[in-house]
């Protein structure tokens, strides 16, 4: 088992590692029931991935091909494992039912771990950490670098009405005046126009808008105000797939590949010229 684990963590010979696990299951009846799901993928030679398009997680480029953070993750997972990958675009509100109906093998779609979802699916270890961030007006918030700087009755913070970010803003900056707008675009525009000190929104919107408007906006905090945990999701009871994916996530976390890909898609706009306008 130790040698198998080492093979997994090296990120090489993933398919060989699966074969070793399956062989071990044959010799150890107690483990036999833990490997049939990987066996099916290995025999098929294709990993079927459920995902939903959402910038920059997954989107279409100008040629109509899928690109994005999740696409990179799924492609690398498949390549390391000796598989091909088949993407199954699915409406977000139906993605868990589609997984349970065996339309695909795994959800790799920026799905946050929640207790409610965990009743229906089995989550892997987190492979990315999104969250809520602040973008501030350079002139109005000049010199602001701590949470306490924004927690003042003189400070106005914009947010999208009805979003989780409003709750985060009220809890983090109880003294500030929270201005609510129908969408993120209006909230950011209020800050760009100099009518609010800062805007609070889900990443990567603050990071991307700051890159596009570097003359007017800045990110005052290194850490996000709240931190999400995104994970792969498989069907309940599929502990063999969970363990295998966890090993891959650990390997790609330790070698820095996941962080590098996340930073590319979420902290830069170097990829923007690849996609059609309107996404």
């Amino acid at each position: 088992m130790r040698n198998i684990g080492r093979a997994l963590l090296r990120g090489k010979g993933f398919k060989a590692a699966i074969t070793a696990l399956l062989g071990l299951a044959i010799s150890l009846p107690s483990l036999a029931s833990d490997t049939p799901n990987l066996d099916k993928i290995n025999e098929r030679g294709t990993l079927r991935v459920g995902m939903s398009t959402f910038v920059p997680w997954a989107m279409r480029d100008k040629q109509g091909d899928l690109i994005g953070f999740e696409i990179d993750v799924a492609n690398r997972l498949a390549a390391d494992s000796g598989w091909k990958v088949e993407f199954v675009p699915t409406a977000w509100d139906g993605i868990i039912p589609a997984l349970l109906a065996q339309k695909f093998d795994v959800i790799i779609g920026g799905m946050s771990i929640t207790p409610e979802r965990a009743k229906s699916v089995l989550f892997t270890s987190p492979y990315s950490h999104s969250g809520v961030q602040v973008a501030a007006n350079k002139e109005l918030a000049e010199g602001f670098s701590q949470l306490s700087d924004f927690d003042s009755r003189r400070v106005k913070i914009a947010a999208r009405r009805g979003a989780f970010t409003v709750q985060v803003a009220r809890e983090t900056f109880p003294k500030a005046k929270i201005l609510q707008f129908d969408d993120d675009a209006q909230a950011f525009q209020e800050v760009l126009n100099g009518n609010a000190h800062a805007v609070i929104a889900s990443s990567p919107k603050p990071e991307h808008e700051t890159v596009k408007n570097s003359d007017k906006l800045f990110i005052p905090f290194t850490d996000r105000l709240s931190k999400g945990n995104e994970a792969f999701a498989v069907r309940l009871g599929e502990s063999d797939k969970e363990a295998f994916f966890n090993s891959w996530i650990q390997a790609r976390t330790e070698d820095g590949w996941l962080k590098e890909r996340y930073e590319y898609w979420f902290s830069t706009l170097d990829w923007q010229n690849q996609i059609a306008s309107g996404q």
Side-chain angles (χ1 to χ4, degrees):
M1 286 295 288
R2 182 176 298 174
N3 291 335
I4 295 171
R6 288 174 178 170
L8 288 169
L9 292 178
R10 283 196 299 269
K12 300 178 181 179
F14 263 59
K15 193 169 184 178
I18 292 175
T19 303
L21 284 169
L22 295 175
L24 184 61
I26 294 173
S27 62
L28 297 176
S30 62
L31 295 179
S33 61
D34 291 338
T35 58
N37 304 294
L38 282 175
D39 193 10
K40 290 178 182 178
I41 299 172
N42 205 31
E43 289 178 358
R44 188 193 313 133
T46 300
L47 179 69
R48 298 177 302 181
V49 176
M51 39 68 65
S52 185
T53 53
F54 186 69
V55 178
W57 302 91
M59 52 204 163
R60 298 281 181 180
D61 65 13
K62 293 178 180 178
Q63 288 72 46
D65 298 322
L66 286 167
I67 62 171
F69 177 63
E70 303 294 5
I71 307 306
D72 283 358
V73 170
N75 279 328
R76 178 65 188 271
L77 169 62
D80 284 347
S81 307
W83 301 323
K84 296 179 181 179
V85 62
E86 175 187 346
F87 293 105
V88 185
T90 307
W92 186 251
D93 58 0
I95 200 165
I96 287 180
L99 173 69
L100 301 183
Q102 302 190 30
K103 300 294 184 182
F104 37 79
D105 303 305
V106 58
I107 296 172
I108 303 179
M111 179 169 283
S112 298
I113 300 172
T114 67
E116 187 63 28
R117 288 172 177 162
K119 296 177 182 177
S120 303
V121 300
L122 182 62
F123 283 111
T124 64
S125 303
Y127 69 103
S128 69
H129 306 277
S130 63
V132 173
Q133 184 56 286
V134 170
N137 182 287
K138 280 189 171 182
E139 184 176 346
L140 295 181
E142 183 179 2
F144 287 22
S145 61
Q146 300 180 16
L147 295 178
S148 58
D149 294 329
F150 291 89
D151 190 22
S152 167
R153 291 182 176 85
R154 297 173 296 176
V155 171
K156 296 178 181 179
I157 297 177
R160 179 165 59 87
R161 183 178 289 107
F164 172 66
T165 50
V166 174
Q167 177 184 337
V168 175
R170 286 174 172 164
E171 292 176 352
T172 309
F173 311 112
K175 296 179 182 178
K177 183 176 182 179
I178 310 302
L179 307 177
Q180 299 187 49
F181 299 87
D182 290 336
D183 57 45
D184 281 336
Q186 291 177 335
F188 275 88
Q189 193 60 51
E190 193 75 357
V191 179
L192 289 170
N193 291 344
N195 298 325
H197 292 73
V199 56
I200 181 170
S202 297
S203 292
K205 186 72 172 178
E207 291 87 343
H208 287 171
E209 289 298 320
T210 299
V211 172
K212 289 191 289 186
N213 301 280
S214 60
D215 59 326
K216 294 184 178 181
L217 300 178
F218 74 102
I219 301 293
F221 311 123
T222 302
D223 296 328
R224 296 185 175 97
L225 299 190
S226 70
K227 188 176 182 180
N229 293 305
E230 292 80 39
F232 300 176
V234 297
R235 290 174 283 274
L236 294 176
E238 295 184 331
S239 56
D240 57 337
K241 284 198 294 190
E242 178 204 19
F244 182 74
F245 293 151
N246 280 342
S247 294
W248 183 86
I249 290 168
Q250 180 181 348
R252 298 289 74 80
T253 298
E254 291 180 352
D255 67 13
W257 184 86
L258 281 169
K259 180 179 180 181
E260 184 273 326
R261 287 288 82 198
Y262 187 91
E263 291 299 319
Y264 173 78
W265 290 106
F266 286 82
S267 298
T268 80
L269 288 173
D270 295 345
W271 46 267
Q272 194 172 41
N273 62 353
Q274 300 179 51
I275 65 173
S277 60
Q279 291 196 70

